[in-house]
Amino acid sequence: NLGTDGSVAYLFSKMGILNFAPGTPEEAIMDIALEAGAEDVVAEEDGSIEVHTSPEAFDDVVAAMQAGGYEPANSEITMRASTEVELDVETGQKVLKFLDVLEDLDDAQAVYSNADIPEEAYD
């Protein structure tokens, strides 16, 4: 069953995300981002860096990063799940198909999920 608009919105937080490629100097990103109003800087296992901001501080942080000479590989304001559900490969493939169908609906503006889908499910 599908819920009504916003029925699970409490499971997600609106936030700004800036992603930087592996090899970007973490210390420099952290200094600029936190000074510009970012909430957190996370170093990922692959060496990439993710900067979290409030939606209100997003533009200021992006501008500060660009002024410091660091262009994010991706930056957006999105909804991030507060908890994730880890899926197996088979269930992950089913969820991916379902999300594709939802995204293709004319009435759907954006689709967010709290599924932690394994890499193998994307094949």
Side-chain angles (χ1 to χ4, degrees):
N1 292 329
L2 293 178
T4 60
D5 286 350
S7 62
V8 294
Y10 69 94
L11 295 172
F12 295 84
S13 300
K14 190 173 185 176
M15 64 188 318
I17 304 288
L18 289 80
N19 299 100
F20 295 89
T24 308
E26 181 182 353
E27 193 69 32
I29 296 294
M30 186 177 299
D31 289 344
I32 296 169
L34 294 177
E35 188 173 312
E39 294 176 353
D40 197 9
V41 177
V42 180
E44 301 293 340
E45 290 180 17
D46 65 355
S48 64
I49 301 170
E50 188 172 87
V51 177
H52 301 173
T53 75
S54 67
E56 298 79 23
F58 178 76
D59 290 332
D60 292 338
V61 174
V62 171
M65 298 308 302
Q66 291 170 338
Y70 298 102
E71 186 69 35
N74 180 49
S75 61
E76 65 180 340
I77 295 178
T78 188
M79 299 294 279
R80 180 66 63 97
S82 55
T83 59
E84 290 188 337
V85 177
E86 191 170 328
L87 303 178
D88 59 41
V89 174
E90 182 181 339
T91 306
Q93 290 171 336
K94 290 177 185 178
V95 168
L96 286 171
K97 288 179 187 176
F98 179 67
L99 293 175
D100 283 342
V101 169
L102 288 176
E103 289 173 349
D104 289 341
L105 293 174
D106 291 337
D107 291 334
Q109 294 177 0
V111 177
Y112 302 101
S113 170
N114 68 338
D116 183 8
I117 301 171
E119 290 292 324
E120 299 82 21
Y122 291 95
D123 295 334

